[in-house]
Amino acid sequence: VQLVESGGGLVLPGGSLRLSCAPSMSGFSIGTMGWYRQASGKERELVADITTDGSEGYADFVKGRFTISRDNAKNTIYLRMDSLKPDDTGVYYCAARIWETLRGWKKYWGQGTQVTVSS
């Protein structure tokens, strides 16, 4: 299973972007999904996640600016990013916990999408 992200790009400070992530195949049980980011020279960090029942969690540095949402019918998550700052620049990765019959819940990662906030 691959997670396919889209929606990154270059945006001015104060602008908005919307990221999307969906699995390349259907027929899997998917649990919590989320977004992580990694800035150049820094470790990957959690941005936001969402459970199957819609419970959302956010890192302090995005609270009030980013909104995560989920379409369970499509196993798709979205990240609406508003009031973007240069510090939000980085590669954004989608992650999902997917049930495998023999191995239980396994975490999968997308390939990442670049978000650049710059004037």
Side-chain angles (χ1 to χ4, degrees), residues 45-62:
E45 57 186 357
L46 176 66
V47 174
D49 60 13
I50 186 166
T51 64
T52 53
D53 63 1
S55 295
E56 304 164 26
Y58 296 94
D60 286 343
F61 53 78
V62 301

Side-chain angles (χ1 to χ4, degrees), residues 43-77:
E43 293 186 353
R44 191 174 299 186
E45 57 186 357
L46 176 66
V47 174
D49 60 13
I50 186 166
T51 64
T52 53
D53 63 1
S55 295
E56 304 164 26
Y58 296 94
D60 286 343
F61 53 78
V62 301
K63 282 182 179 178
R65 299 189 299 123
F66 291 11
T67 303
I68 191 170
S69 59
R70 178 171 183 156
D71 183 338
N72 282 329
K74 299 178 181 179
N75 281 325
T76 299
I77 60 169

Side-chain angles (χ1 to χ4, degrees), residues 10-50:
L10 173 64
V11 64
L12 294 171
S16 298
L17 281 175
R18 184 180 186 240
L19 306 182
S20 301
C21 170
S24 59
M25 301 168 58
S26 61
F28 293 91
S29 293
I30 301 182
T32 298
M33 301 180 74
W35 292 96
Y36 292 71
R37 73 184 187 189
Q38 186 167 21
S40 181
K42 296 186 177 181
E43 293 186 353
R44 191 174 299 186
E45 57 186 357
L46 176 66
V47 174
D49 60 13
I50 186 166

Side-chain angles (χ1 to χ4, degrees), residues 92-114:
Y92 283 68
Y93 296 91
C94 173
R97 292 176 64 82
I98 297 176
W99 177 260
E100 296 187 355
T101 302
L102 298 179
R103 294 191 287 178
W105 290 107
K106 179 176 166 47
K107 192 169 189 176
Y108 282 81
W109 294 91
Q111 79 286 355
T113 184
Q114 177 70 43

